[in-house]
Amino acid sequence: MKHLVTKAQKEHDADAFIELMERNRQSMLKIAMAYLSNEQDVADAMQESILTCYEKLHTLKQPQYFKTWLIRIVINECKDILRQNRELALPEEFALQGTVNSSYGDIEFMELLNSLEEKYRIVLILYYVEGFRTKEIADLLDMNEHTVKSRLVRAREKFAAQHQIKEGAIYG
Amino acid sequence: MDKKYADKEMKRILRQSLSTPPQTEQKIQEAYTYIRRDAAMQSQFAKNTQNGSPRAGRKKTRRWMVPAAAAAVLALSSITVAALSGAFTKTFEQTENGVSYQFEVNYELKPVDVEITAAYIPEGYEQMDSASLKWCADGSWQNGISLGYLNSASLANQGAELLNEENVKSVEKTTINGQEAHLITRNYDPETVNNIFDKCIYIFNETHGYVGIIWGGNDLTMEELKKVAEGISYTVTDSDLEYPEEKDLAAESEQMEEWNQQEQASISYGVPQEYIYSTGTVFNRYQDIAQAVTAAYGDTFDEETSSVFAAEKGVEISVESVELIDSAADFPAEGFFDYDAKIAPQLNEDGTIRDYPRVTYTAGTDGNEAQELSRDEAVGRKFLKVTINAKNMSDETIDFWAGEPRLTYLNPSKEGNYSYADTNTMPLNSQEYGMEGDIGSPIYFDASPYAGELNGHFFFRDLAAGESLTYTLLYVVDEDRLENLYLAFDGVYYEGLAWDGNIFYDRYVKLEV
C-alpha cells in the first residue's frame, strides 16, 4: 500500500489514489456504519472522507501510517455528521438493513451493530476488523486504553447475551 | 450461552465483506469522478507552470435534511431524582491499598460535555498529534501525560469505575483552580514494568458535572503534573447529552451477574475425559457440537436453523506431531508474529531462547483476583513445534479459520472431569521478556496470509471448501513445565460448558513431550 500512497502523493496519480480507496473501502464502510445509522449519512461520510483524504494526502508525512490516518479522517467525518444531525435534531433511526441489495451478510452485520451502542461498535470494528491493538484504538479515538479494554469486554458480553440459539452457525 | 462461541461468531460477522448500498456507491463514484478530473487538471497545470495548480476550495457536498418535527424525549420518569444543588455529589473511600468513588447524579440537570485545553506541558514532551490529548517524551506512549474527563452522563453509567485505583501509595487532597482535586500516586514495581502511568490527578467540578482526569507517567513528578493540571481549562460545550435509563443499567448489571455465575459453573465442571484426545486422533468439534445441540435443542429450532445444524460438516482436526526444539534458527522471521519487537530480543545468536524471570500466580478461577505466589529469577525456555492438519469437510470456504489452539495446563483426574490449572505464569516484566501475544498463544504460524505483517488477523486463515491444510505452529514453553501440557481448541477462557450448561464446547489434545 505504501507505494500507492507515494505514487498518489508525488505524481497526483488519480488511479493510484482510487486503488487506495478501493483497498480500504470495506474498512471505511464498516466504520461509517458503526457511527451512522442513516444510509444517506453513510453515503455522505464515505464521499467526504474520500475527498478529504484526496485533498490532504500531501500532508501525510509517513506513508506507512496511511491506514491509521485514513481511519481518523473517516471517524472525524462521521462525528461531524453526527454533530450536524444533533444540531438539526434529525432522527437517528433509518434502517440500513432491508435495502434492495442487502445480502445476508449485510443484514447480519447491521443486526450486530444495531444490538450495540455506538461507543461499543467503533471499538469492535477497529479491534476485530482492522486489527488495531487497544493502545492504537485509544490513540485513534482519543481515549484511555482502559476505556477501550472495558468497552471491548462489554461489547463482547452484550453481543453474546443477545446472540440467540437460533442463529445457528458455529464456526470460530 | 457460551461467551467464547459468541466471540467467534461476532468476529465472523464483523469480518465478512459488505455490499455497498446503492446511494453510497453513487456518492463514491461521484467522488472518483471529481478526483480524476482534478488530477487531470493538476497534471495539465503543472505542465504549463511547473508549479501545480491552486486548487479551488471544494464545497462540502453534504445535503441538509428537513429537521424532524419532534425528537424523541428521554424517559427519565423512572429514575429517582436526587435533591442536589450541583450536578453530582460524590462519596470517596480510601482503604489500605486503594481508592474508590461513588457518584450520585442530579438527573434534574442536563449533562454537559467539555472541551479540554492545556496551557502548560513540560519541555521535551511532544503531542501525539494536534487532535490528541497525549504527550510523551520518549516515544513509548506508555508514559508521559494523558488528559481525559468524565461527564455526569458517564458517571451515571458506571463511568466512575475508571476513577477507582488499587495499589495506591498516597492520596493528597487539595484545590486546583478553586476546585477540589485528588492527587493519587500508585505503587508500582519497577522490576515488572518499565513505563507506566503511575500517578493521576482528579479535578471535581460539581457545578457543571464533570471530573477532569490528568494521568502522569513515571517519567515526571507529581509536582510537574500538578502544574499541567493547573494550566488546563475545561470549556462546557453545547453538546446534547443524555443520561442512561435506569432499566438499561439494571439489565446490564443483571447480565453481568449472570455471566459470572455461568463462568463459575463452567470452571467447577472442568473438562470431561471424553473431550481430551491424544496426538494423531482425528476429531471434528463443529460437527460434534452441531449434533449435540440438535439433540438438546432441536425441537425448539425453526426449519432454517435445523437445516443449518443438520448440514454441518465441520473441520476435521488432528495434531500430527509435537516436538520440543532448542532453536528457531531454521524458521523464517516472517512466520513469527511481531518478530523484531517480541521475538528477536529474546533469542541468542544460535536461535535458542534466553532465560527469563518468571512470576507464578494463582489462576483466579475461584472468583478471586489472581495473587502472586512465587518468583523465579532465570527460567529456561524452549520452542514447542506442533504440526496440525485441518480439513474443511464442507463444500464452502470457511473465512478466517482460527487455526491457533492455545497451550494450557489441566490437572488430570482418574475419575471425573479434569480440572483447570490453579496457577498461571507470566514473565516478570511482559514488556521486556514476553514473546506471546496472549497467554498460551503461538508465536509462529507458517501458513499465515499476513506473513511478515503486524496484522491482528495473523493467526487466521481462510480454509477453502475441501481443503486439507497441514501447518506448523511454534509455542514457547518453560523447561520445568512440560507435564500436563495440552492444546486447547477454544478452551482459553474456562468456558467449556456452554449452551446453558448442556453442551461442552472445547476440545483438548494431550501433548507428550
Side-chain angles (χ1 to χ4, degrees):
Chain A
M1 204 184 305
K2 196 173 154 185
H3 74 282
L4 281 175
V5 178
T6 309
K7 204 167 160 52
Q9 271 184 325
K10 306 287 182 205
E11 299 171 26
H12 298 293
D13 186 323
D15 290 334
F17 180 82
I18 289 168
E19 190 178 338
L20 265 179
M21 293 298 103
E22 285 302 301
R23 286 192 186 188
N24 290 287
R25 178 195 278 235
Q26 284 290 320
S27 302
M28 295 164 74
L29 193 59
K30 286 175 180 176
I31 288 166
M33 286 180 169
Y35 272 107
L36 306 166
S37 52
N38 176 311
E39 181 176 341
Q40 199 162 4
D41 285 340
V42 172
D44 283 340
M46 289 291 286
Q47 188 179 61
E48 285 301 323
S49 298
I50 291 169
L51 293 172
T52 303
C53 181
Y54 175 69
E55 288 174 347
K56 295 189 175 172
L57 190 63
H58 66 283
T59 66
L60 178 66
K61 303 285 185 242
Q62 294 171 294
Q64 65 266 36
Y65 295 131
F66 172 77
K67 183 74 178 272
T68 310
W69 180 78
L70 172 65
I71 284 173
R72 193 185 285 275
I73 286 175
V74 180
I75 289 171
N76 287 342
E77 292 294 344
C78 291
K79 286 182 172 175
D80 198 24
I81 288 171
L82 282 173
R83 192 167 52 247
Q84 289 169 356
N85 283 355
R86 273 200 290 268
E87 283 166 6
L88 290 171
L90 292 180
E92 291 266 323
E93 288 179 10
F94 191 102
L96 266 169
Q97 61 196 66
T99 52
V100 179
N101 295 332
S102 292
S103 67
Y104 180 68
D106 296 347
I107 293 168
E108 269 190 324
F109 183 85
M110 288 315 301
E111 277 182 354
L112 193 158
L113 289 195
N114 287 338
S115 71
L116 299 166
E117 292 167 46
E118 175 201 312
K119 64 182 180 183
Y120 298 124
R121 295 177 200 160
I122 186 63
V123 173
L124 275 187
I125 299 281
L126 293 175
Y127 187 82
Y128 283 121
V129 181
E130 302 308 326
F132 286 110
R133 297 168 178 195
T134 51
K135 183 183 173 302
E136 293 167 323
I137 297 171
D139 295 343
L140 264 172
L141 301 179
D142 288 334
M143 60 173 66
N144 185 276
E145 193 180 354
H146 295 302
T147 310
V148 173
K149 285 178 180 170
S150 73
R151 285 188 183 179
L152 267 177
V153 169
R154 283 201 192 165
R156 287 186 197 120
E157 288 168 348
K158 279 173 180 285
F159 173 75
Q162 290 162 19
H163 190 72
Q164 298 301 312
I165 212 168
K166 66 182 171 64
E167 296 290 327
I170 54 172
Y171 283 114
Chain B
M1 184 74 62
D2 181 351
K3 265 194 278 189
K4 185 65 182 167
Y5 158 66
D7 205 29
K8 296 283 185 191
E9 180 65 355
M10 183 168 67
K11 288 179 203 170
R12 183 189 67 76
I13 294 170
L14 287 172
R15 287 170 179 170
Q16 64 196 340
S17 286
L18 301 180
S19 54
T20 307
Q23 203 171 5
T24 305
E25 186 61 49
Q26 188 187 333
K27 289 261 184 181
I28 290 172
Q29 294 309 325
E30 282 173 10
Y32 289 167
T33 303
Y34 172 90
I35 287 162
R36 286 198 178 94
R37 198 179 299 144
D38 186 80
M41 282 171 60
Q42 291 277 333
S43 173
Q44 189 59 44
F45 202 91
K47 280 179 194 164
N48 295 342
T49 67
Q50 303 297 310
N51 283 322
S53 74
R55 181 178 283 132
R58 176 177 59 84
K59 258 186 166 179
K60 283 225 167 194
T61 54
R62 177 162 165 67
R63 87 283 174 266
W64 295 91
M65 287 172 65
V66 178
V73 178
L74 176 67
L76 277 173
S77 56
S78 62
I79 297 175
T80 308
V81 177
L84 304 172
S85 55
F88 62 72
T89 58
K90 73 168 187 313
T91 309
F92 168 68
E93 188 180 359
Q94 184 172 6
T95 60
E96 194 177 337
N97 294 320
V99 293
S100 66
Y101 295 86
Q102 286 193 326
F103 289 81
E104 190 180 353
V105 172
N106 184 353
Y107 289 98
E108 282 188 330
L109 297 180
K110 199 165 171 51
V112 298
D113 223 354
V114 293
E115 276 179 6
I116 299 176
T117 313
Y120 172 74
I121 296 294
E123 204 175 327
Y125 284 78
E126 287 185 15
Q127 192 170 12
M128 181 175 273
D129 60 55
S130 59
S132 92
L133 291 169
K134 288 183 76 170
W135 289 261
C136 183
D138 65 4
S140 72
W141 301 107
Q142 292 177 28
N143 55 16
I145 299 157
S146 181
L147 309 181
Y149 69 97
L150 293 171
N151 55 43
S152 49
S154 306
L155 293 171
N157 190 15
Q158 300 176 20
E161 287 171 13
L162 258 182
L163 302 176
N164 298 343
E165 287 283 356
E166 290 178 352
N167 206 14
V168 167
K169 185 178 178 184
S170 67
V171 182
E172 181 191 342
K173 292 182 181 177
T174 184
T175 303
I176 291 178
N177 299 335
Q179 298 166 93
E180 182 183 349
H182 292 183
L183 281 51
I184 297 170
T185 306
R186 292 167 60 204
N187 277 312
Y188 80 98
D189 183 351
E191 268 192 318
T192 62
V193 280
N194 298 334
N195 304 314
I196 191 172
F197 286 94
D198 72 334
K199 54 184 76 70
C200 57
I201 297 176
Y202 300 148
I203 298 176
F204 303 93
N205 187 311
E206 296 180 10
T207 308
H208 290 113
Y210 62 84
V211 181
I213 307 171
I214 302 100
W215 284 280
N218 58 341
D219 55 333
L220 80 168
T221 63
M222 181 60 93
E223 197 178 338
E224 273 296 289
L225 196 65
K226 196 176 168 192
K227 285 187 200 167
V228 174
E230 287 165 348
I232 295 175
S233 52
Y234 298 91
T235 309
V236 174
T237 69
D238 55 0
S239 296
D240 190 19
L241 295 181
E242 294 174 344
Y243 285 114
E245 291 191 52
E246 197 177 49
K247 63 179 171 53
D248 294 335
L249 294 177
E252 194 171 316
S253 168
E254 200 175 306
Q255 215 167 74
M256 291 287 282
E257 180 54 31
E258 192 183 326
W259 282 124
N260 289 337
Q261 287 175 6
Q262 284 179 9
E263 189 172 26
Q264 280 309 306
S266 179
I267 291 167
S268 304
Y269 185 77
V271 180
Q273 293 192 26
E274 63 190 287
Y275 299 126
I276 298 174
Y277 309 121
S278 55
T279 306
T281 306
V282 178
F283 58 95
N284 189 330
R285 187 168 63 92
Y286 293 148
Q287 196 174 46
D288 288 354
I289 294 167
Q291 289 170 0
V293 170
T294 301
Y297 300 98
D299 56 351
T300 67
F301 290 167
D302 56 27
E303 196 176 328
E304 188 185 345
T305 307
S306 293
S307 65
V308 168
F309 278 90
E312 178 58 60
K313 292 179 180 167
V315 177
E316 283 188 353
I317 301 275
S318 68
V319 175
E320 297 194 331
S321 66
V322 184
E323 185 186 354
L324 207 57
I325 57 174
D326 292 326
S327 167
D330 295 337
F331 293 82
E334 61 265 26
F336 290 88
F337 183 69
D338 207 359
Y339 182 84
D340 291 338
K342 305 278 286 181
I343 309 299
Q346 304 303 321
L347 299 182
N348 297 306
E349 277 186 14
D350 60 358
T352 57
I353 316 177
R354 294 185 178 138
D355 292 354
Y356 81 115
R358 179 182 70 188
V359 184
T360 302
Y361 298 91
T362 58
T365 53
D366 53 1
N368 296 319
E369 292 291 315
Q371 303 290 324
E372 182 176 328
L373 292 174
S374 61
R375 291 188 183 193
D376 297 287
E377 276 185 22
V379 177
R381 292 181 280 188
K382 287 188 182 295
F383 295 102
L384 192 69
K385 180 185 169 191
V386 178
T387 307
I388 296 175
N389 178 263
K391 185 175 182 187
N392 180 0
M393 304 301 288
S394 76
D395 50 10
E396 288 181 3
T397 296
I398 299 173
D399 295 329
F400 290 100
W401 157 253
E404 46 139 7
R406 300 294 177 95
L407 206 57
T408 192
Y409 293 85
L410 294 176
N411 294 324
S413 160
K414 285 181 183 171
E415 296 172 0
N417 296 348
Y418 284 33
S419 59
Y420 297 104
D422 47 16
T423 58
N424 280 328
T425 60
M426 291 275 286
L428 179 61
N429 183 331
S430 293
Q431 293 171 19
E432 200 164 335
Y433 303 106
M435 297 175 76
E436 305 157 322
D438 198 358
I439 295 174
S441 65
I443 59 169
Y444 174 91
F445 179 32
D446 71 347
S448 174
Y450 306 104
E453 293 178 32
L454 259 181
N455 188 302
H457 304 158
F458 187 89
F459 291 100
F460 290 83
R461 185 191 189 282
D462 292 351
L463 213 52
E467 181 181 1
S468 175
L469 174 73
T470 300
Y471 57 97
T472 298
L473 298 169
L474 289 185
Y475 296 85
V476 177
V477 283
D478 294 351
E479 285 177 349
D480 61 353
R481 294 191 81 206
L482 300 175
E483 297 287 320
N484 303 326
L485 202 51
Y486 296 79
L487 274 185
F489 289 79
D490 275 9
V492 192
Y493 299 112
Y494 308 115
E495 289 165 359
L497 193 62
W499 297 83
D500 298 331
N502 288 311
I503 311 294
F504 191 82
Y505 195 65
D506 308 328
R507 300 292 183 269
Y508 291 81
V509 173
K510 172 89 173 87
L511 303 179
E512 304 282 359
V513 290

